[in-house]
Amino acid sequence: MRMGVFGATGVIGSRVVAEAVRRGHHVTAFTRDASRFPAETGEIAWQVADVLDVPGVTSAITGLDVVVNALNAGRDVPDTIANAHVLPATARSLLEALESQPAARLIVVGGAGSLEVRPGLQVADAEGFAEGLPELLGVPAEYIKVVLAHREALALYRLSNRNWTYLSPSAARVDPGTRTGRFRVGGDRLLVREDGTSDISAEDLAVAILDEAELPRHVQRRFTVGY
């Protein structure tokens, strides 16, 4: 397939690019800053693109079969909090750009805050969730702005008629780790181990994204993965 990855230099995006190349797909890696291009590009086509520039994004994704949005709102925690509004803005931009590419699939790496801990109760609405963010993710309680922005973006995708898929990872921060290819797949319910932990490596998250790209099972739906 011809795949484009926004946020290709990030923890998750870079692993999506690597997994796609490993499986023999043609990959265009998008980043906002040309200085972040690697010295050796190999089989990957690198391209500068601002995801909020609708005409530019429309041009960039023309001819692609799958577009992966692995962008965060910033490069560090304070920057991400300050720019949380970028997450729903990115959703609006991508959905508008995809109007001219109705056959293209969009796979979005989102947040876990909109997953349910029990029927009708989402993670973000659980008592003490914001106050527990420093322990859970190592971020200040103000990070709840980012969690809610991810949820707002999901609502925008759900209102659209594009071929979108939204992937919510487990609750813990997604960090580099081991590619096992073994994890559980769920729907709107947070996946938790018997010991109460909820996590997945960036490598296995990339595996889940490529599995979905190759064999669509969640078109116009959200799903989650975790150990």
Side-chain angles (χ1 to χ4, degrees):
M1 293 182 294
R2 293 165 297 177
M3 298 185 63
V5 181
F6 286 93
T9 59
V11 170
I12 297 172
S14 61
R15 283 152 180 84
V16 172
V17 169
E19 183 69 21
V21 170
R22 171 180 178 159
R23 299 191 189 199
H25 300 298
H26 302 284
V27 181
T28 301
F30 299 114
T31 181
R32 290 168 292 184
D33 185 355
S35 68
R36 304 192 75 183
F37 288 2
E40 299 293 333
T41 58
E43 305 170 67
I44 304 162
W46 284 85
Q47 186 174 331
V48 173
D50 180 354
V51 75
L52 299 181
D53 172 17
V54 175
V57 171
T58 302
S59 175
I61 68 173
T62 297
L64 296 179
D65 301 305
V66 179
V67 177
V68 177
N69 172 19
L71 281 168
N72 204 339
R75 293 187 179 178
D76 54 38
V77 171
D79 188 37
T80 300
I81 295 172
N83 292 288
H85 64 279
V86 168
L87 296 170
T90 294
R92 294 186 186 95
S93 179
L94 286 171
L95 289 171
E96 184 175 347
L98 284 166
E99 288 180 5
S100 64
Q101 304 288 318
R105 290 196 62 211
L106 172 65
I107 301 177
V108 179
V109 182
S114 57
L115 291 168
E116 294 183 339
V117 289
R118 65 172 185 266
L121 179 63
Q122 296 183 0
V123 172
D125 297 326
E127 184 177 357
F129 173 71
E131 294 78 5
L133 283 170
E135 181 178 354
L136 177 64
L137 298 180
V139 297
E142 289 77 16
Y143 197 81
I144 187 66
K145 295 179 181 178
V146 180
V147 176
L148 297 179
H150 274 299
R151 185 162 69 178
E152 181 182 350
L154 173 58
L156 292 169
Y157 293 118
R158 281 175 164 163
L159 289 171
S160 80
N161 62 356
R162 301 272 69 87
N163 292 324
W164 61 272
T165 295
Y166 189 97
L167 174 54
S168 289
S170 295
R173 186 176 64 185
V174 179
D175 288 322
T178 303
R179 182 191 185 281
T180 69
R182 299 187 301 274
F183 45 81
R184 292 182 290 163
V185 178
D188 290 320
R189 189 76 177 264
L190 179 69
L191 296 175
V192 181
R193 290 191 183 100
E194 290 185 3
D195 63 2
T197 58
S198 175
D199 64 327
I200 191 165
S201 70
E203 285 76 6
D204 276 342
L205 191 61
V207 171
I209 291 167
L210 266 295
D211 286 351
E212 176 66 25
E214 293 176 344
L215 185 60
R217 290 178 172 151
H218 302 92
V219 177
Q220 294 188 331
R221 291 171 57 196
R222 184 261 294 280
F223 75 109
T224 186
V225 292
Y227 296 128

